[in-house]
Amino acid sequence: MNILLFNLLLLFTSCEQDLLETEIALKTDTQNSAKVTSGIYQSDQPYNLNVVYFVPSDVQMRPEYERRISEFILAAQEYYRQNMHNWGYSNRTFGVLKNPLTNRVKITIVHAANPMSTYSASSYHPILSEVNAWFAAHPSDKTSEHTIVFTAVPTPETPIPFVGNGTSCFVGDNEAWDYQNFNKNTPEGTTVKWYMGGFLHELGHGLGLPHDALPKSQQNVPGYGTSLMSWGNSTYGYSSTILTKSSCAILNNIQVFATTAKPFYGGNKSFTINQLYHSFENGRIRIWGTYTTSQPINAINTYFSPNNQYYAVSSVADGNLVNSFSTYVDISDLYYTNTDYQFIIQAQFPDGGAVYKVYNFPIVNGIPKMDFQTEVSRTGWTISSSSAYPAYPASFAIDGNLNTYWHTNYSPGVLQTDPVPGQAQTFPYFYDINMGAADYIWGLVFTQHQGLARNAKNISVYTRASTAEGWTHRGNYDLKKVAYKQNVLFSQALACRYIRIVFNSSYDGEPYIAMAEIGALK
């Protein structure tokens, strides 16, 4: 499905509502050197985070700003390095230019055109505009497409943008925020913990990270805890606060994490879902499917996102990274179980680009109501059943109308003709489908009688590709007594033309079946 603008804002977002795009459309970088030197500053990485000190016209540079900013940046480097290492993405972090003798990072000073009151906390755009103009006039000082802006403020209470937007982030600088106080059990320590948590969180947005959460069951597991990109800005420094594997999979492709020079953030990418299947058994939502892409990808992230995106449980999907993926989440690991959800699939390209697909579904009282798969067209199908009441023929189960239904024969004294000729109306009942031509299907879809009467319970499924073959048993399944669509999914796509569904039992104990709709999934 196409993604609406609202969905595009969903993932590459910030803590403001008006922030930017999910796909970064930036110029292709042509740097060729793996090691960068800028005067006394050096980096072993070809692309480095631009560190800007933005000074309003009526504010003095804060005392020891260079030391404080350097210590925050280097601590952030180590935090991101450790998380990348823990998730298996090598011992990598974002690049930054620094003086190897003093351990101070390269800071670009931008003297603002206006006083402090001009730069409202509600919008970063005036600051970004001036920073961009400065880099346009000094292009050699821009070492990547990612920038962090520290704005000098006269007091910690001065309103200032504290936000990230996918390529940039904006925080304040004041001597009250001093990393040297981080481990102190003092008011100063509390202040800097608050600052550091928010700084790391917004830097994550500036590096392209969306809001996401760890599964609920991992909140108190050693080594896990709280996702930095959920409410981790408030837990950092007090309890375990980590980047999710999904966040690290994104950082793995971000320009400033690169160890060799190559193009980044090119356009013209496509990611198409060909089939999408789901199941819900024993409290677990499982989703899998096939896809095609215009270029190779190296990861697929998935998000189960309620309206509050801080609680979007994420994972890196399994799959061959060629044409298939699978993922799952347990209902008990979601933070909301009675609200609308979006299932988001994020294809990640090695140049840092990403393409998203978004599917909406509700969870009602802990039960997901999903309808992702594409149904096979029933045009040209022929069907038959071993039993049908004349007013409710087998054809009513494929007519696309939920208000009609196939009902097995309940006329007194009527005997079966199949599977046991002359037998009284009782289980099993056969329902045979001829799709008219062989096709690959992943399973079947059923919609029970909408009045929830005479609902089927246990079924057996058989298929064959042609009449020259015998029936192959594909499994026994229990249908649910629910009014919405439910799927019976195979372990793989099967080539078949003929389908036989054997109804073995019903929920109300009577020897009858009423089924509103039956279809196949591709």
Side-chain angles (χ1 to χ4, degrees):
M1 61 177 286
N2 293 325
I3 308 174
L4 299 176
L5 178 61
F6 174 80
N7 300 126
L8 289 176
L9 291 170
L10 174 62
L11 288 185
F12 275 94
T13 185
S14 72
C15 297
E16 287 187 338
Q17 289 301 310
D18 63 341
L19 293 182
L20 297 181
E21 308 87 47
T22 56
E23 229 179 312
I24 309 171
L26 301 175
K27 67 181 183 181
T28 298
D29 209 301
T30 57
Q31 259 183 287
N32 294 314
S33 173
K35 186 171 184 176
V36 175
T37 300
S38 178
I40 61 174
Y41 301 98
Q42 299 177 7
S43 171
D44 290 332
Q45 294 175 226
Y47 311 101
N48 296 277
L49 182 68
N50 305 304
V51 181
V52 173
Y53 196 56
F54 186 79
V55 187
S57 61
D58 59 346
V59 177
Q60 297 293 318
M61 292 183 178
R62 309 315 302 169
E64 297 189 81
Y65 76 89
E66 185 181 18
R67 174 188 64 80
R68 281 196 313 280
I69 289 175
S70 295
E71 289 175 353
F72 279 120
I73 291 290
L74 296 179
Q77 251 196 333
E78 183 56 31
Y79 175 82
Y80 279 81
R81 184 196 315 277
Q82 187 63 56
N83 277 270
M84 292 288 283
H85 173 75
N86 289 347
W87 285 115
Y89 288 98
S90 186
N91 196 34
R92 294 165 54 207
T93 189
F94 59 87
V96 66
L97 286 160
K98 68 178 180 180
N99 184 334
L101 298 179
T102 63
N103 223 27
R104 296 289 184 259
V105 304
K106 182 179 184 295
I107 301 173
T108 296
I109 299 174
V110 176
H111 290 283
N114 299 297
M116 185 76 247
S117 59
T118 305
Y119 307 104
S120 166
S122 63
S123 176
Y124 62 87
H125 295 289
I127 296 175
L128 180 61
S129 178
E130 292 192 42
V131 170
N132 284 343
W134 196 95
F135 277 127
H138 306 82
S140 63
D141 284 328
K142 188 175 183 181
T143 59
S144 76
E145 299 296 344
H146 293 271
T147 300
I148 182 169
V149 179
F150 293 83
T151 297
V153 292
T155 70
E157 295 75 30
T158 304
I160 198 70
F162 211 89
V163 71
N165 72 355
T167 57
S168 304
C169 82
F170 304 83
V171 295
D173 172 65
N174 184 273
E175 53 272 28
W177 300 318
D178 194 325
Y179 190 72
Q180 292 187 352
N181 294 323
F182 185 81
N183 291 317
K184 295 180 180 179
N185 188 21
T186 62
E188 293 79 10
T190 299
T191 296
V192 76
K193 285 183 178 67
W194 170 86
Y195 178 87
M196 188 65 178
F199 159 68
L200 290 174
H201 180 104
E202 301 308 336
L203 177 59
H205 286 316
L207 296 172
L209 300 185
H211 289 130
D212 73 345
L214 288 159
K216 193 174 180 180
S217 62
Q218 293 181 354
Q219 292 298 298
N220 298 310
V221 175
Y224 293 91
T226 303
S227 165
L228 175 70
M229 301 311 296
S230 57
W231 57 96
N233 53 336
S234 63
T235 61
Y236 184 82
Y238 297 98
S239 60
S240 180
T241 304
I242 69 169
L243 294 171
T244 64
K245 187 175 182 179
S246 301
S247 287
C248 290
I250 294 171
L251 296 174
N252 183 51
N253 295 329
I254 292 299
Q255 185 190 47
V256 292
F257 279 71
T259 56
T260 58
K262 64 178 184 179
F264 278 88
Y265 309 132
N268 300 319
K269 296 178 176 65
S270 67
F271 172 63
T272 303
I273 297 294
N274 298 321
Q275 293 102 11
L276 190 61
Y277 308 99
H278 60 78
S279 65
F280 179 61
E281 299 291 341
N282 300 318
R284 173 168 291 180
I285 300 172
R286 180 172 169 252
I287 300 176
W288 68 100
T290 62
Y291 63 87
T292 54
T293 63
S294 58
Q295 302 170 33
I297 62 174
N298 63 6
I300 291 179
N301 282 356
T302 62
Y303 302 83
F304 289 87
S305 179
N307 292 330
N308 187 337
Q309 298 149 21
Y310 288 88
Y311 295 89
V313 175
S314 69
S315 68
V316 177
D318 295 324
N320 59 18
L321 292 179
V322 175
N323 61 9
S324 68
F325 77 96
S326 65
T327 191
Y328 71 87
V329 69
D330 292 330
I331 286 289
S332 60
D333 273 331
L334 299 177
Y335 296 86
Y336 297 92
T337 57
N338 195 30
T339 190
D340 290 336
Y341 267 80
Q342 291 182 317
F343 174 63
I344 303 163
I345 308 171
Q346 177 202 50
Q348 296 185 47
F349 295 83
D351 74 345
V355 178
Y356 300 83
K357 300 296 180 183
V358 180
Y359 300 87
N360 299 304
F361 72 98
I363 297 180
V364 180
N365 297 324
I367 305 297
K369 296 185 176 182
M370 298 176 289
D371 184 20
F372 299 159
Q373 285 86 350
T374 301
E375 291 192 34
V376 176
S377 171
R378 288 179 276 190
T379 301
W381 281 19
T382 58
I383 50 85
S384 63
S385 64
S386 63
S387 177
Y389 190 78
Y392 307 107
S395 60
F396 279 6
I398 64 166
D399 66 357
N401 186 349
L402 290 180
N403 296 315
T404 63
Y405 51 91
W406 161 59
H407 200 302
T408 54
N409 203 325
Y410 53 87
S411 299
V414 173
L415 302 179
Q416 290 191 20
T417 58
D418 193 28
V420 182
Q423 178 175 286
Q425 296 292 305
T426 188
F427 297 109
Y429 296 109
F430 287 12
Y431 191 97
D432 287 353
I433 298 170
N434 176 358
M435 297 194 298
D439 199 354
Y440 279 91
I441 67 170
W442 279 84
L444 304 175
V445 57
F446 296 87
T447 307
Q448 302 266 31
H449 178 265
Q450 296 298 281
L452 297 183
R454 305 294 190 262
N455 291 159
K457 186 176 183 182
N458 182 260
I459 64 172
S460 303
V461 177
Y462 299 80
T463 68
R464 60 183 180 183
S466 70
T467 54
E469 301 177 6
W471 291 107
T472 299
H473 181 229
R474 301 303 183 182
N476 296 330
Y477 306 90
D478 282 331
L479 301 182
K480 300 179 179 67
K481 188 176 182 177
V482 293
Y484 52 84
K485 287 183 179 180
Q486 55 187 300
N487 298 332
V488 165
L489 299 173
F490 308 143
S491 59
Q492 61 183 14
L494 302 174
C496 70
R497 173 175 175 176
Y498 302 94
I499 304 167
R500 169 165 286 182
I501 305 162
V502 181
F503 292 86
N504 299 311
S505 64
S506 66
Y507 273 93
D508 57 13
E510 296 293 330
Y512 308 114
I513 292 296
M515 183 64 63
E517 291 293 315
I518 300 173
L521 301 169
K522 64 178 180 180

